[in-house]
Amino acid sequence: MDGLLLTDELLLLAYDDGGTNRLGRPHLDYGLAGALLLELALARRVEVADKRLVVTDPTPTGVPLLDEALGTVAASRPRKPKDWIGKLAKGLPDRVLDGLVGAGVLRRESDRVLLVFPRTRYPSPTGAEPAAETAARARMVAALVGDGPVDARTAALLALVRAVGLDRKLFRELPKDRVKARLNEIAAGDWASAAVRKAIDEMQAALIVATTVASTTAISAGN
């Protein structure tokens, strides 16, 4: 499997140029877990049947992060996608960040705020937006301003971005009504196999539930 994974692209989009997570947690954690499962669906290793995620092909992909998730799902009884989101999210951001740092896409920068509070940021080596992030943005914008079919990976990334609420941050320069209408059109389009489309729909719904619950819990805790 060549190139960056959906997990890599989502994380890059979630971090600003200063290397700070602007999406927040656990939203990023859940989004990355959803991206992991969608990557397996695109690789035709899993699909959703009777609202449960099932392994259709246990053959390793050759990508450790994906193969660990595939093994975990295969070793368990079938569960709903939303149940896997929380289970696979633990420690996932750090692993994806480590991979991007190892690949030279990001660098790890540690310092202290007010000389007291430790902070770790992940800017690109140049300090500018990573080329991989620019490419992902361009792919999504082209899909949103166009009117034809889109490839399955781009549709999956758009579904993830929408589910975790990043669409409002990433597409501010595009007409809001146009973005909403086009996202709905892409979601309903005939751009992938029925199994992949179903997996994306289920994962998007699961992420919306997970992030909504997390937001509600955080608001309640703050009152």
Side-chain angles (χ1 to χ4, degrees):
M1 190 173 291
D2 299 322
L4 295 184
L5 301 176
L6 290 171
T7 47
D8 299 318
E9 291 183 321
L10 183 63
L11 187 140
L12 290 174
L13 293 165
Y15 271 67
D16 62 24
D17 291 345
T20 300
N21 175 13
R22 57 182 171 177
L23 182 56
R25 303 183 70 174
H27 290 63
L28 176 60
D29 308 56
Y30 293 156
L32 292 176
L36 201 58
L37 294 176
L38 282 183
E39 197 71 68
L40 289 174
L42 289 171
R44 299 186 178 182
R45 297 304 194 273
V46 302
E47 64 179 41
V48 178
D50 295 327
K51 297 190 178 295
R52 300 289 193 277
L53 193 72
V54 296
V55 173
T56 54
D57 181 358
T59 306
T61 65
V63 179
L65 194 64
L66 295 181
D67 291 339
E68 286 179 28
L70 180 61
T72 299
V73 175
S76 176
R77 61 179 173 78
R79 301 171 186 268
K80 293 181 179 180
K82 69 180 182 63
D83 296 327
W84 281 117
I85 295 293
K87 291 182 179 297
L88 295 176
K90 298 173 183 176
L92 194 50
D94 290 337
R95 294 194 63 185
V96 177
L97 284 166
D98 287 345
L100 289 169
V101 170
V105 178
L106 298 177
R107 63 186 170 88
R108 186 177 286 106
E109 188 177 273
S110 298
D111 59 9
R112 290 182 179 273
V113 179
L114 301 177
L115 303 178
V116 177
F117 305 103
R119 174 180 63 177
T120 302
R121 293 182 295 171
Y122 294 87
S124 74
T126 63
E129 181 175 285
E133 180 182 346
T134 302
R137 287 175 181 270
R139 234 168 62 229
M140 290 190 294
V141 169
L144 292 173
V145 300
D147 56 9
V150 302
D151 65 278
R153 294 190 67 80
T154 300
L157 184 58
L158 282 168
L160 288 166
V161 161
R162 186 184 200 182
V164 297
L166 261 180
D167 56 319
R168 295 186 291 274
K169 296 180 174 67
L170 297 178
F171 310 127
R172 286 175 178 166
E173 296 180 3
L174 298 178
K176 187 176 180 181
D177 290 344
R178 166 63 181 174
V179 170
K180 183 178 180 180
R182 182 59 174 153
L183 284 172
N184 289 335
E185 184 181 326
I186 291 172
D190 188 18
W191 40 259
S193 68
V196 170
R197 285 176 57 198
K198 187 174 183 180
I200 291 178
D201 288 345
E202 292 284 348
M203 221 63 65
Q204 185 176 32
L207 281 171
I208 290 173
V209 169
T211 53
T212 300
V213 170
S215 298
T216 302
T217 302
I219 292 173
S220 298
N223 293 333

